[in-house]
């Protein structure tokens, strides 16, 4: 349960919930990011990859991945006495994309995690949020031994408009993930200030 505080009049303040989506391609680090910043043990729906997914899930570039999110990830982080972020990580495989509409409903914005080893897996998420006019930032998850590119190179490769922020991050690192979330919240406030 989110903590509450009292205002100067002694009335208990209940924090306003703010819904954030963490999206991206299969293996981009969504579950890892939610887990790295959540102040509660995150809810995950990770399942072991089985032989049944052979030929269905493209593991090129992420061959060592052994689990996958089949529904969602959920975490929470209190950013002030007045606001609590509720984080929802999307499943990455195309066969679970039917859930994205429900997960995105009511969100103020999205972090689209990008893996430079598999840039092509980012287009679907970017297109999804652009079409729905949901503010998003692109967060390049800097995996060990992954190709390194400048933000301008990533912007050009993914055809990202100048108005969309691009940040470099390490989804395993709490501070790095928090900075990406802060950048998203600031961006969302400039795009739709009445919603935050």
């Amino acid at each position: 349960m989110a903590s509450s505080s009292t205002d100067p009049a002694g009335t208990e303040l209940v924090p306003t919930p703010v819904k954030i989506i963490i999206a991206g391609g299969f293996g981009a680090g969504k579950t890892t990011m939610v887990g790295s910043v959540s102040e509660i043990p995150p809810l995950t729906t990770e399942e072991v990859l089985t032989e049944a997914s052979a030929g269905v899930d493209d593991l090129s570039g992420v061959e060592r991945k052994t689990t996958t999110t089949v529904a969602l990830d959920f975490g929470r982080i209190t950013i002030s006495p007045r606001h609590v972020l509720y984080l929802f990580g999307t499943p990455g495989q195309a066969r679970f994309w039917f859930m994205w509409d429900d997960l995105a409903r009511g969100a103020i914005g999205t972090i689209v995690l990008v893996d430079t080893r598999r840039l092509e897996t980012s287009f679907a998420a970017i297109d999804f949020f652009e079409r729905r006019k949901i503010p998003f930032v692109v967060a390049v998850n800097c995996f060990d031994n992954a190709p390194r590119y400048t933000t301008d190179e990533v912007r050009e490769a993914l055809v990202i408009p100048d108005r969309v922020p691009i940040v470099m991050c390490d989804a395993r690192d709490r501070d790095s993930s928090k900075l990406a979330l802060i950048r998203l919240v600031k961006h969302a406030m400039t795009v739709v200030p009445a919603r935050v």
Side-chain angles (χ1 to χ4, degrees), residues 144-167:
D144 296 335
N145 303 316
R148 301 285 192 230
Y149 299 101
T150 66
T151 55
D152 288 340
E153 289 171 323
V154 171
R155 187 178 302 283
E156 183 178 347
L158 296 176
V159 196
I160 304 291
D162 288 341
R163 68 180 180 278
V164 175
I166 297 177
V167 298

Side-chain angles (χ1 to χ4, degrees), residues 9-40:
T11 307
E12 188 170 316
L13 295 174
V14 177
T16 301
V18 179
K19 185 177 184 181
I20 301 288
I21 303 299
I22 312 295
F26 177 56
K30 300 175 294 294
T31 300
T32 301
M33 177 174 268
V34 171
S36 75
V37 295
S38 181
E39 65 194 17
I40 61 171

Side-chain angles (χ1 to χ4, degrees), residues 42-107:
L43 166 70
T44 63
T45 57
E46 289 278 289
E47 293 295 334
V48 175
L49 287 169
T50 65
E51 288 184 22
S53 69
V56 177
D57 295 324
D58 178 12
L59 296 178
S60 57
V62 290
E63 292 84 3
R64 292 175 28 198
K65 188 167 175 56
T66 59
T67 61
T68 185
T69 299
V70 297
L72 61 92
D73 300 309
F74 174 77
R76 183 188 77 206
I77 180 170
T78 303
I79 58 172
S80 76
R82 298 183 60 179
H83 294 95
V84 175
L85 297 185
Y86 289 100
L87 311 174
F88 291 83
T90 64
Q93 304 97 310
R95 59 192 160 120
F96 298 123
W97 287 351
F98 67 90
M99 299 185 65
W100 284 33
D101 277 318
D102 287 334
L103 288 173
R105 191 171 293 119

